[in-house]
């Protein structure tokens, strides 16, 4: 069974940056990316990237976040810049295989 292991969350001041990483235990041939869930809200798409490098972003993060992928390492990254308090959430790594796979989540907290 494929496992996803996230790292890189933490506490940062508004305007700061963080980088999240997610390593898959096996090769992922399809989409990988990130979702997030804030307290009291539904889980929402942040960004995804195909194996070929095509990306998709939520409107709320366009221009601030960059998703990338290292296929040789089975790893997806999320570079987050100009962070805002409303970006505070648990961020979940996602991979599409025969089933949807999720990481355990990593907390990102942006203080004002």
């Amino acid at each position: 069974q494929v496992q996803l292991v996230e790292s890189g969350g933490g506490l940062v001041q508004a305007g700061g940056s963080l980088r999240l990483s997610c390593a898959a235990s096996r090769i992922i041939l399809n989409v990988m990316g990130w979702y997030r869930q804030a307290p009291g809200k539904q889980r929402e798409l942040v960004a995804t990237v195909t194996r070929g490098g095509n990306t998709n972003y939520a409107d709320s993060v366009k221009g601030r976040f960059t998703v990338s992928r290292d296929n040789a390492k089975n790893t997806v990254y999320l570079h987050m810049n100009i962070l805002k308090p409303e970006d505070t959430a648990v961020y979940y790594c996602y991979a599409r295989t025969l089933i949807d796979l999720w990481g355990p989540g990593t907390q990102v907290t942006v203080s004002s």
Side-chain angles (χ1 to χ4, degrees):
Q1 184 175 356
V2 181
Q3 292 184 325
L4 303 176
V5 179
E6 301 134 339
S7 61
L11 173 64
V12 65
Q13 288 188 333
S17 299
L18 281 175
R19 187 185 82 159
L20 305 182
S21 300
C22 172
S25 58
R26 293 178 61 182
I27 189 171
I28 303 295
L29 296 177
N30 211 319
V31 173
M32 295 185 75
W34 298 89
Y35 283 68
R36 68 186 180 187
Q37 188 167 16
K41 295 187 177 181
Q42 290 187 333
R43 191 173 297 189
E44 62 177 6
L45 168 74
V46 177
T48 59
V49 56
T50 67
R51 189 169 179 82
N54 293 319
T55 57
N56 181 45
Y57 293 94
D59 287 343
S60 60
V61 306
K62 284 181 180 177
R64 301 189 298 123
F65 291 10
T66 301
V67 62
S68 62
R69 180 169 175 169
D70 185 334
N71 292 326
K73 297 181 179 179
N74 300 324
T75 299
V76 62
Y77 304 95
L78 185 68
H79 298 258
M80 304 184 291
N81 297 316
I82 317 175
L83 281 159
K84 304 175 181 180
E86 51 263 43
D87 294 317
T88 295
V90 177
Y91 283 69
Y92 296 92
C93 180
Y94 165 78
R96 184 183 304 161
T97 64
L98 293 178
I99 60 173
D100 289 341
L101 298 175
W102 297 94
T106 185
Q107 177 69 46
V108 171
T109 302
V110 184
S111 62
S112 58

